[in-house]
Amino acid sequence: MYLHLDMDYFFAQLEEKRRPMAAGKIIVVCVFSGRTADSGVVSTVNYPGRALGIHSGMPIAFARKRAPPADSIFIPVDHEYYSQASVQIDRIIRNMCAKVVQASIDEWNVEDAIAEGKAPALKEKIRTALGLACSVGVAPSLLGAKMAASKSKPDGLLILNKAGERKLIGRSDVEKVPGIGPKTAEALRSLGADRVDDISKLDPLVLVETFGRKSGAWLHDLGRGWYDSGLGEEKGQEEVSHMGTLKEKTRDPYLLLSKLAELEAEARERLMHMKKSYKTLSLIFVTDDLRSHTKSVSFRNPRAWNEDITKDKEALVREFLAGNPLDIRRIGIRFGNFLDLGGQTTLF
Ligand code: TTP
Ligand code: MG
Ligand code: MG
């Protein structure tokens, strides 16, 4: 059986959790771009905010119009905090389940012979360890598990057998199926297929003509109730980064470099475990106006996790300070552009 787990209103739920005073309020997590006070987009919003029509991707200014100021808080994203929670959840799931693939910061796909038996305990464990609610779907295919999880939101658990899965997917609107984008959905509707079951009435040749060989065949199978098996590949991590907040805002290179040293140590430890070398080093500076700036250097030859980067860091800090007059509030380090060390692992 396959299991899909997705955290409920993830970033906003985490913000809610560390602000008990905000109980009952609308919480809008925002990616402020810094151009004007309200430039940027909504990252996510809790359910009271969704009830007013606020959603991910909406301009912050639109959300402000819908949210009564006295009942709402607008908070900038804090990726560091969300990633830490994500890592904890990942550990819980890997401890309990057989085959696990993390699909995004708040989603996991699992293949486990007794997934339906484990699902309630998994939800409970995440609730007791982190105080967070999630939704879980279990079904004979991963597609069924994903659709069961979203159907059960929030704080839901939906377990489907083969027949239940077929019914849920078959009756679903085509645009609700993961893998069918808005364009494909529109084209299917214009062919007369509003729901997945309707696709079975379409000529497979027309499907292939309209959507190409691969997608056409996939849609044909979908209409007949043939769902892919397998978990998919885990996307390899492409970078390691650590951010931190400075004790006070500053432009003092010594203070900046000593905070960086702390962050670097944590990042390096992860690099070492991943057995990766990197070709790009970046420093991230968040200035007093909440804007984020990146300075990077790329190396012709990949660098091992333990190579000294003192000179490179100093140069990047100097370069940034020379080009920007503002105080710095947060700073970060990122190793990217990875190369597998493969056979060289004995180096470590
Ligand atoms: P989702 O799981 O899509 O959404 P969600 O967890 O907020 O809500 P739901 O209960 O419906 O699952 O995304 C996970 C996080 O990713 C979300 O909390 C914030 C972030 N995100 C964005 O920053 N921008 C976006 O457009 C989306 C969709 C998500
Ligand atoms: Mg979610
Ligand atoms: Mg998600």
Side-chain angles (χ1 to χ4, degrees):
M1 290 286 265
Y2 292 91
L3 178 152
H4 180 79
L5 183 151
D6 187 291
M7 301 305 297
D8 296 333
Y9 63 105
F10 188 45
F11 296 0
Q13 197 185 172
L14 280 166
E15 295 296 350
E16 219 170 70
K17 197 188 117 192
R18 65 173 167 184
R19 285 179 182 74
M21 305 281 282
K25 292 219 189 289
I26 294 169
I27 296 184
V28 188
V29 180
C30 301
V31 184
F32 289 105
S33 69
R35 204 171 43 79
T36 69
D38 273 350
S39 299
V41 295
V42 172
S43 167
T44 196
V45 59
N46 61 354
Y47 280 85
R50 290 183 193 192
L52 300 177
I54 302 170
H55 58 79
S56 296
M58 174 183 266
I60 295 165
F62 289 13
R64 288 248 193 232
K65 285 189 194 130
R66 291 173 184 241
D71 300 331
S72 48
I73 12 184
F74 285 69
I75 303 168
V77 282
D78 179 354
H79 277 290
E80 202 185 336
Y81 171 44
Y82 314 144
S83 315
Q84 281 167 5
S86 178
V87 168
Q88 282 180 270
I89 299 164
D90 187 64
R91 279 204 201 107
I92 293 172
I93 300 175
R94 284 178 203 275
N95 268 328
M96 294 180 64
C97 303
K99 264 176 85 183
V100 180
V101 168
Q102 180 164 10
S104 80
I105 191 162
D106 87 330
E107 287 171 54
W108 287 264
N109 297 326
V110 173
E111 193 178 347
D112 193 305
I114 50 167
E116 64 274 43
K118 289 179 175 174
L122 191 56
K123 267 176 71 82
E124 200 41 45
K125 188 84 222 257
I126 293 172
R127 191 190 307 281
T128 46
L130 289 107
L132 295 175
C134 61
S135 296
V136 175
V138 180
S141 79
L142 185 60
L143 181 68
K146 284 181 185 170
M147 293 183 63
S150 52
K151 170 115 183 150
S152 78
K153 266 182 183 297
D155 199 12
L157 169 60
L158 181 56
I159 298 170
L160 299 173
N161 60 15
K162 195 100 192 115
E165 174 184 79
R166 176 75 205 261
K167 208 187 248 176
L168 176 70
I169 299 176
R171 290 182 182 175
S172 162
D173 288 335
V174 286
E175 75 265 7
K176 294 235 175 86
V177 177
I180 297 186
K183 270 195 189 152
T184 303
E186 194 44 55
L188 283 169
R189 274 194 298 266
S190 73
L191 292 171
D194 293 326
R195 299 195 304 173
V196 173
D197 272 341
D198 303 330
I199 301 175
S200 63
K201 292 178 217 142
L202 302 177
D203 183 343
L205 288 176
V206 172
L207 286 173
V208 168
E209 226 166 68
T210 317
F211 302 103
R213 207 176 174 72
K214 214 172 145 216
S215 305
W218 181 75
L219 286 166
H220 181 61
D221 286 349
L222 182 71
R224 290 187 297 176
W226 295 7
Y227 312 128
D228 297 337
S229 60
L231 257 195
E233 290 287 301
E234 185 136 35
K235 221 169 74 202
Q237 196 175 355
E238 271 125 40
E239 57 179 50
V240 163
S241 69
H242 271 273
M243 294 289 300
T245 304
L246 294 150
K247 284 213 183 65
E248 47 202 57
K249 42 192 188 179
T250 183
R251 293 178 56 79
D252 181 341
Y254 174 76
L255 292 178
L256 295 171
L257 286 164
S258 74
K259 183 73 197 176
L260 277 172
E262 243 174 69
L263 300 164
E264 183 188 336
E266 294 172 37
R268 275 186 192 282
E269 188 167 333
R270 279 168 59 194
L271 279 181
M272 176 182 72
H273 288 301
M274 292 166 67
K275 301 189 171 68
K276 298 278 187 186
S277 58
Y278 60 91
K279 287 182 85 171
T280 306
L281 168 71
S282 308
L283 297 187
I284 300 122
F285 303 86
V286 179
T287 39
D288 209 18
D289 57 358
L290 289 183
R291 280 198 199 209
S292 166
H293 313 262
T294 305
K295 290 280 170 205
S296 302
V297 53
S298 288
F299 310 111
R300 193 170 312 148
N301 299 311
R303 296 220 175 165
W305 67 275
N306 55 353
E307 264 175 77
D308 184 51
I309 54 166
T310 310
K311 286 219 173 70
D312 308 291
K313 278 186 303 183
E314 287 173 0
L316 292 173
V317 167
R318 239 184 290 120
E319 189 189 331
F320 177 77
L321 290 172
N324 191 303
L326 295 175
D327 279 343
I328 296 154
R329 285 192 179 200
R330 286 165 58 71
I331 194 162
I333 188 162
R334 179 164 70 217
F335 296 95
N337 212 342
F338 286 162
L339 258 98
D340 239 314
L341 289 179
Q344 279 185 53
T345 50
T346 45
L347 250 177
F348 312 110

